[in-house]
Structures are given as structure tokens and as C-alpha cells.
Amino acid sequence: MNTLAEENYLKSIYHLSLNDSNVSTNQIAAALNTKAASVTDMLKKLADKELINYAKYQGVTLTSAGEKVALHIIRKHRLWEYFLVEKLHFKWDEVHDMAEEMEHISSVELTDRLDKFMDYPKHDPHGDPIPDRDGKFKKNELQPITALQVNESGIISGVRDHSALFLQYLEKQQLTIGKKIKVTEIIEYDQSMILEVEQTKIHISREAAKNLLIVI
Amino acid sequence: MNTLAEENYLKSIYHLSLNDSNVSTNQIAAALNTKAASVTDMLKKLADKELINYAKYQGVTLTSAGEKVALHIIRKHRLWEYFLVEKLHFKWDEVHDMAEEMEHISSVELTDRLDKFMDYPKHDPHGDPIPDRDGKFKKNELQPITALQVNESGIISGVRDHSALFLQYLEKQQLTIGKKIKVTEIIEYDQSMILEVEQTKIHISREAAKNLLIVI
DNA sequence: TAAAAAATTTAGACTTGTCTAAAAAATTAT
DNA sequence: ATAATTTTTTAGACAAGTCTAAATTTTTTA
């Protein structure tokens, strides 16, 4: 099997791949809070195990074996987050670090039974889709609310920023998953938005708006 | 915090301390499937951290700080075992290895909420007591059934051997936790015992009997 | 397109936890 | 009580994963 460090590298590479097809050494170093030299060492190891495609100076992509490992870790992460929120009643901003540990529990049987225990949830508490045991999941058709014009509506369905700070801010503003929002005004000066949520008006910056995802 | 290896050493030392007040290097090496030289190295490290009392060649005992750590790991192990059996419907012989991983999940808050979620179980699926958050628990007043005379009865409440092999054997013989048993005969030749469990007679070796624990 | 800047890799070192082989201490047996 | 045996520790080495500093490659910019 793979070490804890290897698993964390694969997971980071997967996440970074969603934005850039070739992931650079420095991006990985930043994501994992480590140094580029350490990343290079690990990339060689992962390439030897045929979990990534790596050519010096050219960045990396996951092989299908590597993607499979990454998706299984992400599956576990999201299932445990769901468990922590739905069964143990943690708040959505409290579960990330715990799930970072729990995602490394290895038993596949345990993961599948946990999935069944919770009745096969499709999304974690932040709206991210939970891969099934084969790593398959529907790609989210989510857009940032900055895609909306005045008077258009959507349903809050995810976030781009998973930091506790942002999640707590959203919670305080009642901007939680499932809520219906309507854009009532876009301030020309700074592109900040005024939203209507359950009859109340909420003013959010463009910065925040970019990180709040909806389905239309 | 403590590393995974340190936690495993403390846990082993705790368990071994129940039989011998001073635990030897070789005992620990056997329990952890490692070499005596490795144990000596780790003992120095744990002594530096004041988690054990260690004097060369004299064996070790846990300090109260070390015992606290050990009991917290044991608490987590037993709570997760209970979860796996009661919520995910694993069998009692399947959960040990999974719990070995899960016992290292660090969050105290998570542990306490898990405890609450399951309504504060007092014993794990093998009858071992679950320490509370302060590490306190009632010492089991359990005896091996070899302590019984002919015609005496007891209730199966624990096991001394936690191996899957022994647990599966017990399961097959209907010798599970909570069952009432009565000794109907002790064979003089080999000290094996004939038990009555729910109107059926079961013949078990003295070897097995020593590992099956009851309350009277 | 050549120089400067940025990104990446290499070289060499450190820590943790492990190992084997040899030395030292403790125990046991004669 | 001394020799033989067993247990434990020390010495030196190794793998994993990380680091800093220096070298190399790629990219940017003038």
C-alpha cells in the first residue's frame, strides 16, 4: 500500500489537476506546506510506482492508477465529513481537519459500510460530490454567484473556499447549502452583490461571491 | 503530541503492565513484533518525554502522564470497535485491525461525541470496559470459567484471547457475550469442560476455558 | 535573443524508527 | 561462587521523508 505522505501528495495533485492539467512542483509544495526539493523527491517515488506521469521540469499528471487512489481518499474524506456533520452534529467549518486524519483509514469494507450506514449520500457538507466505490461521481454543474445578473436566482450548492473562516462567515449570513438566493443589485463601484435570502437582504463582496457556488 | 509509534508503545506497555508490574524490553518487542534493540531506543525517547519510568535493565512502568495517554488510546479503540459492531454491523472478530488504525484519530471532541452518539457504552464487543474521558472505568470482576466447579453457573462477559480464530470458534459454539453457561462436567483426564448453554451441551478444552471470562 | 528571473532539481544533511552484530549486564545453573 | 545462558544495551547502518544551499533548466523580459 501507499504511505500517508504518498496519499497526501496524490490527493493534492488530484485537486490541483482540476485547475491546471499539468501540476507544477511549486504548486504541490504550496498546497502541502513543504519545500519544492521535498516535492521533487516524492515525485520520483510516485513515478516509480507508476502513480503519476512525471518528466523533469514538466510538471505531473496522475496515471489512472494514481487517480483511483486519489479518488478513494477523497471518497473517504467526504464520507467522514458527512458522518461528522450528520451523525455527530459537528458544524461544517469544524470537520476538515478531523476528516484529514480519517481519510487514511484503509479498510474498503469499512468505507462501503459507512456509505451504506448513511444511506449513500451524494454530497458532503460543503456540497462536494462523494465518489462511489469505483471513483465515479457526477461532476458538479456549479457556478459562482458572480455568474448571475440582477434579478436572477440560484440555490446555494457548494463553496470554492473551504476555510473555516469563510464557512463561519457564510453560516452567520445564513448563506448555507440549499438556500435559495436572488441577486437584487450589483454595486457598480466594486462589483459587490446584494442578495435576497429568505426575505432578508445580504451584502457580500465580489471576493466572497466568487467562492459561493450555486445551481441555477 | 505523540507519534503513532509512541502511542503504540504506550498502549502495549499498558496492556503488559496488567500482568507484570515491571514490563521488560523483550515483552514489548514480542508484543509489537519488533526487536529488543528498537525497543530500547524508543524507551529512551519515552523516558525523555516523562511518559515512562525507565532504568536500564530494570524494565519500565508508565508514569501517570503515560497512563493517561494509553487509556485515551484504549478508550478510542474500544469506542470504535463498538461503533463498527453496533452501527456498521461488523462481527466481533473483524474489528480489531480497523480499530488499531482508528484509535489514533486525535480529536478529543470527536471521541466524546462518538461516545455520546452511541449512548455511552460501558463495554466493547469483547466485553472489555471502555474508559471514560478521564480514563476511569470499573475494573472487570471477571474470572475464567476454569474457576467454576461442576454445577456452578456464570454469564459470559469477556475474553482473554482476542484473536479472530478464538472469537470465531466461540461464535460457532454460541459462546457469545451475555450468554448464561453452567458447568455440567469437568473431565478429569484433561480438565476439559462440558458446558450447558441454552439447553445444549458444549465441550471445550481447558485451553479455551482459560480464555473465556464470566461474571458469577 | 541574450540576460535576468523564476522554477526545478541535485547534493548533502538531519530526524524518526527500524535493523544486525557485538558488548555488557543480569540471571540461572552447576 | 563461578560459568553458562539469557536479556538488554550500544554501536553503526539504513529507509522514508524532510530540509538548505547550490546548480541547472525554463521562462520572462528588455
Side-chain angles (χ1 to χ4, degrees), chain A residues 74-89:
Chain A
I74 289 165
R75 166 170 165 77
K76 288 185 285 179
H77 183 102
R78 291 178 182 169
L79 282 171
W80 282 117
E81 282 202 348
Y82 188 92
F83 172 79
L84 292 170
V85 168
E86 294 300 321
K87 301 292 183 181
L88 301 193
H89 310 301

Side-chain angles (χ1 to χ4, degrees), chain A:
Chain A
M1 249 299 87
N2 306 301
T3 66
L4 200 138
E6 287 169 349
E7 290 194 350
N8 285 331
Y9 273 87
L10 291 171
K11 184 175 52 134
S12 280
I13 294 167
Y14 178 88
H15 286 308
L16 293 166
S17 297
L18 299 178
N19 300 316
D20 308 85
S21 61
N22 267 51
V23 179
S24 74
T25 302
N26 265 359
Q27 282 179 296
I28 298 168
L32 290 174
N33 229 306
T34 183
K35 296 297 150 78
S38 310
V39 174
T40 300
D41 290 343
M42 182 59 92
L43 294 184
K44 287 178 192 163
K45 204 174 308 177
L46 292 172
D48 283 348
K49 296 180 86 170
E50 302 192 40
L51 294 165
I52 60 170
N53 304 114
Y54 170 57
K56 274 196 210 177
Y57 297 100
Q58 306 306 299
V60 298
T61 57
L62 291 175
T63 62
S64 72
E67 185 178 78
K68 199 178 147 191
V69 174
L71 282 170
H72 186 59
I73 298 161
I74 289 165
R75 166 170 165 77
K76 288 185 285 179
H77 183 102
R78 291 178 182 169
L79 282 171
W80 282 117
E81 282 202 348
Y82 188 92
F83 172 79
L84 292 170
V85 168
E86 294 300 321
K87 301 292 183 181
L88 301 193
H89 310 301
F90 280 100
K91 290 192 254 144
W92 71 340
D93 58 289
E94 298 175 319
V95 296
H96 186 269
D97 291 352
M98 290 180 257
E100 288 287 289
E101 291 183 57
M102 301 174 96
E103 72 192 5
H104 301 290
I105 306 291
S106 58
S107 169
V108 173
E109 178 71 17
L110 166 52
T111 306
D112 291 345
R113 290 210 192 190
L114 179 68
D115 196 8
K116 181 180 181 185
F117 176 61
M118 302 185 299
D119 205 20
Y120 306 105
K122 288 279 163 291
H123 298 277
D124 78 10
H126 312 108
D128 294 307
I130 300 175
D132 69 17
R133 51 176 301 161
D134 302 315
K136 294 199 173 57
F137 60 94
K138 275 207 300 292
K139 285 242 168 48
N140 265 338
E141 303 292 331
L142 301 187
Q143 302 181 301
I145 60 176
T146 49
L148 294 181
Q149 307 296 317
V150 168
N151 277 322
E152 292 183 334
S153 298
I155 293 174
I156 298 177
S157 305
V159 292
R160 186 117 79 190
D161 175 359
H162 291 69
S163 72
L165 215 59
F166 182 57
L167 297 175
Q168 282 160 17
Y169 164 75
L170 292 180
E171 181 93 22
K172 197 173 285 175
Q173 307 289 314
Q174 316 275 15
L175 296 170
T176 50
I177 305 269
K179 289 282 179 70
K180 184 173 177 183
I181 59 110
K182 184 167 133 184
V183 176
T184 59
E185 194 181 341
I186 299 175
I187 310 294
E188 213 179 326
Y189 167 63
D190 61 0
Q191 297 290 100
S192 64
M193 301 176 101
I194 297 176
L195 309 176
E196 191 178 293
V197 188
E198 289 175 344
Q199 283 89 49
T200 28
K201 293 250 172 24
I202 291 166
H203 187 180
I204 67 168
S205 68
R206 182 166 173 81
E207 200 50 36
K210 282 194 287 191
N211 289 317
L212 188 52
L213 306 176
I214 52 160
V215 283
I216 297 171

